[in-house]
């Protein structure tokens, strides 16, 4: 059976985890039951082996910051470079997106506007017309976001696939099968609301209208479909 490695780069907020489980649970559900998954907690020091050991790789989000240069994160970035070179299908999400960009020569930094959390519209670029994952999506779709850092410069080899009004680099691809997405295709609307509840004091202190953000939360079926599309792509590559 096709096996996708889930590289866990941290855990969700305690209040969210208590209600809804952790990152790996959401990814497993959205990847579907046509693939097997194995969780490797790289933040806890687990080894992912070799990239070629896996049919596909997903890198989760994290409360960590890429710019902190923690040893486990730097080691994972080095490993991701090899995965791209080996052309193992790879999808980095949020922290995973930023770590992939950083590993390949891009740049990550704090957002000048502060944290972005909520459900927002993502717009695809024309370059997605032949992309194996994004060509299946409409030109505009809703997605859940929560992040304090961003990719401010893409790797030179990257192809920009999507942006939003507040985020220039929502998605990119390097080579035939390595993608990064800033948004969270694994989130449900309930998970997004739980994040906003947990982050409410900090968001309010930063001048954000938490009630408006919560009212704006919607289901994101097209963003969620991206993980199933990745799963299907990995199975196709696996033969």
């Amino acid at each position: 059976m096709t096996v996708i490695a889930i590289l866990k780069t941290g855990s969700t907020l305690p209040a969210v985890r208590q209600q809804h489980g952790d990152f790996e649970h959401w990814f497993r559900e959205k990847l579907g039951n046509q693939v097997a998954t194995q969780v490797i907690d790289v933040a806890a020091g687990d080894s992912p082996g070799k990239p070629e050991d896996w049919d596909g790789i997903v890198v989760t989000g994290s409360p960590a910051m890429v710019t902190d240069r923690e040893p486990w994160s730097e080691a994972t970035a080095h490993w991701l470079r090899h995965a791209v070179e080996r052309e193992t299908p790879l999808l980095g999400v949020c922290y995973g997106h930023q770590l992939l960009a950083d590993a390949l020569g891009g740049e990550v930094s704090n957002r000048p506007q502060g944290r972005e959390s909520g459900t927002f519209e993502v717009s695809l670029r024309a370059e997605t017309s032949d992309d194996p994952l994004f060509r299946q999506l409409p030109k505009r779709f809703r997605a859940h976001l929560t992040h304090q850092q961003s990719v401010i410069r893409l790797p030179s080899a990257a192809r920009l696939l999507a942006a939003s009004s507040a985020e220039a680099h929502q998605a990119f691809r390097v080579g035939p099968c390595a993608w990064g997405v800033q948004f969270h295709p694994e989130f449900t609307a309930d998970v997004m609301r739980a994040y906003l509840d947990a982050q409410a004091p900090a968001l309010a202190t930063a001048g954000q209208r938490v009630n408006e953000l919560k009212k704006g939360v919607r289901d994101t079926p097209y963003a969620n479909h991206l993980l199933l599309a990745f799963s299907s792509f990995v199975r196709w590559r696996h033969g």
Side-chain angles (χ1 to χ4, degrees):
M1 191 174 190
T2 303
V3 182
I4 294 177
I6 299 175
L7 269 58
K8 185 175 179 179
T9 61
S11 287
T12 185
L13 300 171
V16 179
R17 186 167 67 247
Q18 186 175 6
Q19 296 179 65
H20 301 287
D22 211 343
F23 293 128
E24 66 269 28
H25 305 120
W26 312 334
F27 277 106
R28 278 175 162 158
E29 180 180 350
K30 296 297 188 299
L31 285 166
N33 58 14
Q34 297 300 305
V35 296
T37 58
Q38 184 166 335
V39 178
I40 301 100
D41 192 341
V42 291
D46 292 351
S47 171
K50 299 177 181 178
E52 55 266 33
D53 292 341
W54 310 106
D55 301 311
I57 302 158
V58 169
V59 189
T60 73
S62 176
M65 299 293 169
V66 169
T67 55
D68 286 345
R69 304 292 176 192
E70 296 187 41
W72 66 263
S73 183
E74 294 292 276
T76 303
H78 180 76
W79 191 89
L80 292 177
R81 285 194 291 272
H82 286 292
V84 173
E85 291 168 2
R86 302 288 296 191
E87 296 189 359
T88 302
L90 167 64
L91 176 63
V93 173
C94 195
Y95 188 90
H97 156 86
Q98 296 164 14
L99 188 63
L100 178 62
D102 182 79
L104 299 177
E107 186 177 355
V108 175
S109 185
N110 291 331
R111 301 181 76 247
Q113 317 95 302
R115 176 173 293 278
E116 179 181 37
S117 283
T119 307
F120 303 98
E121 186 176 80
V122 172
S123 298
L124 299 186
R125 294 172 60 90
E127 289 85 346
T128 58
S129 60
D130 63 348
D131 185 83
L133 301 190
F134 283 85
R135 68 187 176 197
Q136 305 179 35
L137 302 182
K139 294 302 180 185
R140 292 181 178 82
F141 59 91
R142 291 188 296 266
H144 302 307
L145 287 127
T146 178
H147 62 119
Q148 194 166 317
Q149 293 198 323
S150 295
V151 176
I152 62 171
R153 180 172 55 81
L154 289 174
S156 59
R159 185 178 188 181
L160 180 63
L161 300 176
S164 64
S165 60
E167 198 61 41
H169 305 130
Q170 280 286 359
F172 70 90
R173 191 183 84 226
V174 172
C177 56
W179 290 269
V181 295
Q182 182 58 65
F183 59 88
H184 283 275
E186 79 280 20
F187 276 21
T188 63
D190 285 342
V191 166
M192 188 70 255
R193 290 187 190 98
Y195 261 88
L196 289 171
D197 284 339
Q199 295 169 342
L203 291 171
T205 298
Q208 299 202 42
R209 298 178 178 178
V210 179
N211 287 338
E212 292 301 313
L213 292 171
K214 290 175 70 174
K215 288 178 183 177
V217 173
R218 298 287 187 276
D219 290 331
T220 60
Y222 293 112
N224 294 148
H225 178 75
L226 190 71
L227 285 172
L228 196 59
F230 180 72
S231 175
S232 297
F233 177 81
V234 173
R235 287 191 292 115
W236 173 76
R237 281 286 293 256
H238 184 231

